[in-house]
Amino acid sequence: MNSNSVWAVMPFNESFSFRAPVRATFNSACYDICYSGEAINLHPGKVTLVPTNLKFECRDYYKNSCVEILSRSGLAKNGIFVANAPGIVDADRSE
């Protein structure tokens, strides 16, 4: 994400791996969050937490905004989705 963006994205914990969100293509509407840790086994019908190690910080002049965590349609059709979709990170959320 560029320096002009509303939100700054940084690692939540410096000692763990971190991959900044990226757009898959030029015309992508959203940024993709990637998991970069050890392999995780996913089981049908079971909720699995996947740590992202991402921390979002809102720029002061956009305090009425939020980050939405949404499922990718290609994964959701196979049963992999954000359990509380959309996941919302409010601008005034603190650690």
Side-chain angles (χ1 to χ4, degrees), residues 69-88:
I69 310 298
L70 305 168
S71 302
R72 294 265 318 175
S73 58
L75 293 175
K77 72 179 181 182
N78 292 310
I80 301 171
F81 55 89
V82 176
N84 63 328
I88 301 290

Side-chain angles (χ1 to χ4, degrees), residues 8-30:
V9 181
M10 61 209 74
F12 183 77
N13 184 329
E14 295 285 344
S15 62
F16 294 104
S17 61
F18 167 75
R19 286 179 62 186
V22 296
R23 288 184 177 201
T25 67
F26 178 78
N27 290 320
S28 293
C30 301

Side-chain angles (χ1 to χ4, degrees), residues 7-74:
W7 291 80
V9 181
M10 61 209 74
F12 183 77
N13 184 329
E14 295 285 344
S15 62
F16 294 104
S17 61
F18 167 75
R19 286 179 62 186
V22 296
R23 288 184 177 201
T25 67
F26 178 78
N27 290 320
S28 293
C30 301
Y31 289 82
D32 292 334
I33 294 176
C34 299
Y35 173 71
S36 58
E38 296 179 16
I40 292 179
N41 292 318
L42 303 177
H43 303 282
K46 183 178 177 193
V47 174
T48 303
L49 297 177
V50 179
T52 63
N53 194 32
L54 296 178
K55 178 178 171 181
F56 297 92
E57 183 177 282
C58 184
R59 308 269 188 220
D60 287 338
Y61 45 89
Y62 284 102
K63 289 298 183 189
N64 292 331
S65 64
C66 68
V67 169
E68 290 187 46
I69 310 298
L70 305 168
S71 302
R72 294 265 318 175
S73 58

